[in-house]
Amino acid sequence: MKDLTAIKGRYYIHSLIEEGEHEQQDFKFAITDARKIARSISAFANHSGGRLLIGVKDNGVVAGVRNEEDVYMIETAAEMYCRPAVEVTMTAFKVDPGTVVIRAEIPKALHPPVHVVEKGDMLRAYYRVNDENIVAHPLLLSAWRHYASDEGALVAFDENHRLLIDMINAAGFTTLEEFVRQSHLSTPTAIELIGRLAASSVVNLVYQRGQLVITV
């Protein structure tokens, strides 16, 4: 690679590949779309950080990085298509003679969300769930916003707050849709209420079986 000096790492890279793709790891055979890879960077940054292994096929077969454009594409994705920009650390590893895999490490965002500049300059945040990048749920966006703006603020409980906690205690969790149904609040109002509680760590937002649920 032109800008990266590859170091020995055959056993290290294969040990990572054995983990498969998961919430902190994704395989990329090649990078051909900076905006698309920015979605992966956003998803990792908004979750708990992670890494991309460039030059590895989805089935775990090492193909190697084909050219230095992959490095420039990652830099473009992180700097031009992520808001705010994300500092991605890249390391090149020699896996076989003439075969190089790049590990791109994405740190957890200190102040999420990290948005992607989509076509038409629309901003959209992503989140990592299992081995997929999904559009961040409105509840996550609300929680992040309140965490940034309401840090240290006390939450005044009313009957809607108590209803939410009672629903969670009764079933172990609830959903935005069920809370809206039982509280008769509008969806935007319910999102604000739950987001503020999540930012204050009164409730937790977790994905279970493909849906975002509210727990304590």
Side-chain angles (χ1 to χ4, degrees):
M1 306 302 296
K2 181 179 178 181
D3 297 325
L4 292 176
T5 300
I7 60 177
K8 293 181 179 180
R10 174 183 173 82
Y11 297 108
Y12 169 68
I13 291 298
H14 279 291
S15 70
L16 295 182
I17 292 173
E18 287 179 2
E19 297 178 10
E21 294 181 307
H22 50 71
E23 284 189 340
Q24 283 80 42
Q25 180 166 279
D26 203 0
F27 300 157
K28 295 295 180 184
F29 169 52
I31 299 176
T32 58
D33 187 328
R35 183 176 275 113
K36 185 175 181 180
I37 206 66
R39 294 169 188 153
S40 294
I41 295 172
S42 167
F44 281 128
N46 289 331
H47 190 267
S48 55
R51 59 179 170 262
L52 300 170
L53 295 183
I54 317 300
V56 178
K57 296 182 178 181
D58 289 342
N59 61 4
V61 172
V62 175
V65 176
R66 294 177 297 176
N67 57 64
E68 62 198 32
E69 288 301 316
D70 286 341
V71 174
Y72 300 138
M73 199 75 76
I74 295 172
E75 292 175 343
T76 299
E79 297 172 8
M80 295 185 60
Y81 288 107
C82 288
R83 295 289 185 275
V86 177
E87 186 172 343
V88 177
T89 303
M90 287 180 278
T91 308
F93 293 90
K94 297 177 184 176
V95 179
D96 292 307
T99 304
V100 172
V101 169
I102 294 176
R103 182 193 65 196
E105 295 181 295
I106 297 99
K108 178 181 179 179
L110 294 177
H111 304 289
V114 171
H115 287 93
V116 174
V117 182
E118 299 283 11
K119 291 182 179 179
D121 291 332
M122 179 181 68
L123 296 179
R124 179 175 289 158
Y126 291 82
Y127 194 70
R128 186 78 174 172
V129 178
N130 297 322
D131 60 352
E132 296 183 2
N133 304 323
I134 66 171
V135 176
H137 194 283
L139 284 177
L140 289 173
L141 296 175
S142 177
W144 291 331
R145 183 173 65 254
H146 282 295
Y147 185 82
S149 61
D150 300 349
E151 190 170 4
L154 297 177
V155 177
F157 268 59
D158 61 19
E159 65 274 12
N160 290 314
H161 295 83
R162 287 189 288 272
L163 171 62
L164 177 66
I165 299 301
D166 288 345
M167 290 173 62
I168 296 172
N169 288 335
F173 69 91
T174 191
T175 63
L176 171 63
E177 294 75 16
E178 183 62 19
F179 179 61
V180 167
R181 189 183 72 80
Q182 293 198 32
S183 67
H184 305 293
L185 294 173
S186 68
T187 298
T189 299
I191 288 173
E192 287 299 297
L193 182 152
I194 297 168
R196 179 162 288 171
L197 292 179
S200 301
S201 299
V202 176
V203 300
N204 298 312
L205 304 175
V206 297
Y207 275 91
Q208 294 180 1
R209 298 179 180 178
Q211 69 171 342
L212 187 71
V213 300
I214 309 149
T215 67
V216 293

